Amino acid sequence: MGNRFPARDRFADGAQFIDGRLRPGTSGRTHAVVDPATGDELLTYEMAGAADVDAAVAAALAAYPGWAGATPGERSDALHRFAAVLAERATEFAAAESLQCGKPIKLSTEFDVPGTVDNAAFFAGAARHLEGASAGEYSGDHTSYVRREPIGVVGSIAPWNYPLQMAAWKILPAVAAGNAIVLKPSELTPFTSLMFAQAAQEAGIPDGVINIVNGAGADAGERLVGHPDVVMTSFTGSTAVGKRVAEIATATVKRLHLELGGKAPFLVFDDADLDAAVQGAVAGSLINTGQDCTAATRAYVQRPLYDAFVSAVAALMETVRLGDPFAPSTDMGPLISHAHRDRVAGIVDRARGYARVVTGGTAPDGAGLADGAYYRPTLVVDAAQDSEIVQSEIFGPVLVVLPFDSDDEGIRLANDTPYGLAASVWSRDVYRTGRATREIKAGCVWVNDHIPIISEMPHGGYKASGYGKDMSAYSFEEYTQVKHVMYDNTAVARKDWHRTIFGDRL
């Protein structure tokens, strides 16, 4: 495996991290982690079952009082040390992420890992700033203030597309706020979540505060969401699975945060910088091989620019280099699995019956790629707005382009899917972009760019893309309980309002 991550050595003791140590799962089922670039088996591990989830929740429940009782400064110091450990191990984390996901090493090195380190550093600072309303005499006779308290044990579920960053997005705000957590990553990509928890332990975060269980959704996932000692669930994944998570969580009246599917529109007005829009569309649609819920998937281009945009995007897509994720020159790696590659290909193949594939639409047959789950960058045109390829989340390197005429029509089409996670608007006219940012129903709207995220700003959706926020200080709304405390200032035994219950006004 050359310089690739030695998973068998690293996780010989098991792929469950519970109460500060690795251990095997007890479900009786195993799972083989496969390198999507080669088809090689990287690790076979024993998966978590209900008993493992129970043990992880018990460890979190035991650790919670001590961690919740730590001062904000103490939690902040631990998270600063955590960020430093992550930074020291950046090369190792990048290798593990590229191996299990098939990400180009330049993406892992320049995006996934530094983004995670920055997120840890941000929440180290944010731990000291759990703000509430200032104290004041709002009723005249009382002083009120707001306490923001941790809520308890959080049970979160993360997807396979950005396993390291998703572990950070789930764990860091929860822990910064004083909670303990059990995270279930995707069973396809267990490595970096386990490494993340181990790094936290090394930084001095107490055992049991962060626990990782790797198992199937029907076993470990449903048990975690339904566990009576878990007070909140944060889930990132498809809208269909999110609905199931919501059903289970509702039965125990859990707090619920859902970051679900997306179908991001990429709206290009006729005064846009064409070259910038073309560059942005290719980068925004192909990042992480299109396996990104905010990826640009539907480009709406005002008719005067439409033909030139399609031609330029096709030409640029054809220059994208597929290859070994560990080669520095590789631009795009494989999809997460052959099964997922076949699903993406199926959507494109069905679209041939009602639309035109301009470029791509096939698996590459070049040397060294045949065994991997590769799929060429794909551009589709002439599809109807109500077609599958326009309305459904593909989660692959596929961009569909449609024309529009008026600004009204462009904004209407941008909003015309069930999703509302992200969007972008391309124009030199501040009034046009201002209108679009107001009227597009999405949790994030970029102007003349697509994809960048920062720790200080929230990430979350509208409509079928879910609710609640990851990252930023807004995420504490998910992971804290707001308590109103009210003190009487009068020392009067008989209050004037008592007469509404008994007696007359004095």
Side-chain angles (χ1 to χ4, degrees):
M1 297 199 327
N3 65 345
R4 297 171 191 254
F5 182 78
R8 289 188 179 90
D9 297 337
R10 187 64 183 262
F11 304 116
D13 293 333
Q16 318 301 327
F17 187 81
I18 299 173
D19 203 16
R21 68 180 183 90
L22 290 172
R23 52 188 261 184
T26 62
S27 69
R29 300 171 58 191
T30 60
H31 181 78
V33 182
V34 173
D35 179 352
T38 63
D40 293 340
E41 183 182 310
L42 303 170
L43 176 75
T44 295
Y45 67 91
E46 295 88 354
M47 298 174 76
D52 304 296
V53 172
D54 291 348
V57 172
L61 195 62
Y64 167 68
W67 184 247
T71 67
E74 289 168 338
R75 290 197 295 267
S76 176
D77 288 346
L79 288 170
H80 276 300
R81 294 193 299 269
F82 187 17
V85 173
L86 294 171
E88 289 168 4
R89 298 188 177 170
T91 300
E92 183 182 15
F93 272 99
E97 195 78 336
S98 285
L99 186 63
Q100 67 181 353
C101 299
K103 294 175 186 283
I105 193 67
K106 64 180 181 180
L107 181 63
S108 295
T109 301
E110 299 177 25
F111 183 74
D112 297 71
V113 175
T116 300
V117 174
D118 183 73
N119 216 232
F122 170 81
F123 279 107
R128 291 178 177 263
H129 297 283
L130 293 171
E131 296 179 349
S134 60
E137 287 69 48
Y138 298 100
S139 79
D141 290 338
H142 304 82
T143 295
S144 289
Y145 69 90
V146 169
R147 289 178 55 87
R148 190 179 288 275
E149 299 176 345
I151 58 176
V153 176
V154 177
S156 293
I157 300 175
W160 48 257
N161 57 333
Y162 290 103
L164 176 60
Q165 290 204 72
M166 291 297 100
W169 288 16
K170 300 302 181 194
I171 291 171
L172 290 170
V175 169
N179 302 290
I181 189 168
V182 179
L183 174 71
K184 192 199 89 65
S186 168
E187 64 271 24
L188 301 178
T189 53
F191 300 158
T192 48
S193 298
L194 293 168
M195 293 165 61
F196 191 79
Q198 290 174 314
Q201 182 186 46
E202 183 173 332
I205 294 176
D207 292 349
V209 172
I210 299 172
N211 305 273
I212 310 292
V213 292
N214 281 293
D219 299 328
E222 294 204 0
R223 176 60 179 169
L224 181 60
V225 176
H227 198 290
D229 290 328
V230 170
V231 298
M232 174 190 166
T233 291
S234 177
F235 170 80
T236 296
S238 71
T239 299
V241 177
K243 291 177 180 179
R244 174 60 180 157
V245 168
E247 289 174 359
I248 299 170
T250 298
T252 49
V253 199
K254 284 180 173 46
R255 183 177 297 191
L256 190 59
H257 166 220
L258 299 174
E259 198 265 273
L260 307 178
K263 191 70 178 175
F266 187 99
L267 186 60
V268 183
F269 291 109
D270 57 12
D271 66 334
D273 181 324
L274 179 61
D275 184 53
V278 168
Q279 300 288 326
V282 174
S285 63
L286 300 185
I287 186 172
N288 203 35
T289 318
Q291 298 167 131
D292 187 310
C293 51
T294 63
T297 59
R298 300 178 288 137
Y300 296 100
V301 183
Q302 206 151 22
R303 207 169 294 273
L305 295 185
Y306 178 79
D307 290 339
F309 180 89
V310 169
S311 177
V313 166
L316 186 54
M317 278 187 168
E318 289 168 3
T319 70
V320 172
R321 299 164 296 185
L322 279 64
D324 178 1
F326 283 81
S329 61
T330 293
D331 296 322
M332 198 175 87
L335 292 156
I336 188 63
S337 67
H338 288 81
H340 185 56
R341 193 265 309 274
D342 293 346
R343 177 189 169 276
V344 170
I347 294 174
V348 174
D349 288 343
R350 289 191 293 274
R352 296 179 197 276
Y354 55 79
R356 179 169 61 93
V357 176
V358 178
T359 189
T362 61
D365 55 8
L369 302 180
D371 293 331
Y374 290 91
Y375 196 73
R376 291 173 57 207
T378 299
L379 178 63
V380 178
V381 298
D382 300 337
Q385 174 66 16
D386 62 356
S387 61
E388 178 190 28
I389 204 163
V390 174
Q391 293 292 323
S392 298
E393 188 172 34
I394 302 172
F395 228 56
V398 180
L399 175 65
V400 58
V401 184
L402 297 88
F404 71 93
D405 292 304
S406 69
D407 289 18
D408 289 349
E409 181 189 17
I411 292 172
R412 179 181 62 78
L413 291 171
N415 283 326
D416 185 28
T417 72
Y419 301 105
L421 187 58
S424 65
V425 182
W426 300 75
S427 170
R428 293 183 174 96
D429 186 328
V430 67
Y431 297 103
R432 267 182 153 174
T433 59
R435 177 194 175 190
T437 59
R438 291 191 301 272
E439 295 186 11
I440 290 176
K441 306 303 181 186
C444 175
V445 182
W446 293 284
V447 178
N448 295 324
D449 207 345
H450 195 108
I451 284 298
I453 53 174
I454 50 175
S455 297
E456 291 83 357
M457 289 291 114
H459 177 86
Y462 286 28
K463 303 190 294 184
S465 292
Y467 46 82
K469 300 299 179 184
D470 288 310
M471 299 199 300
S472 82
Y474 291 98
S475 65
F476 287 131
E477 301 296 330
E478 317 301 324
Y479 296 100
T480 57
Q481 190 73 264
V482 173
K483 177 185 290 184
H484 171 213
V485 179
M486 181 179 252
Y487 282 88
D488 170 60
N489 294 330
T490 66
V492 173
R494 186 171 179 180
K495 316 293 187 199
D496 187 54
W497 70 267
H498 291 177
R499 68 183 178 82
T500 63
I501 312 303
F502 57 85
D504 300 320
R505 184 185 294 274
L506 296 177

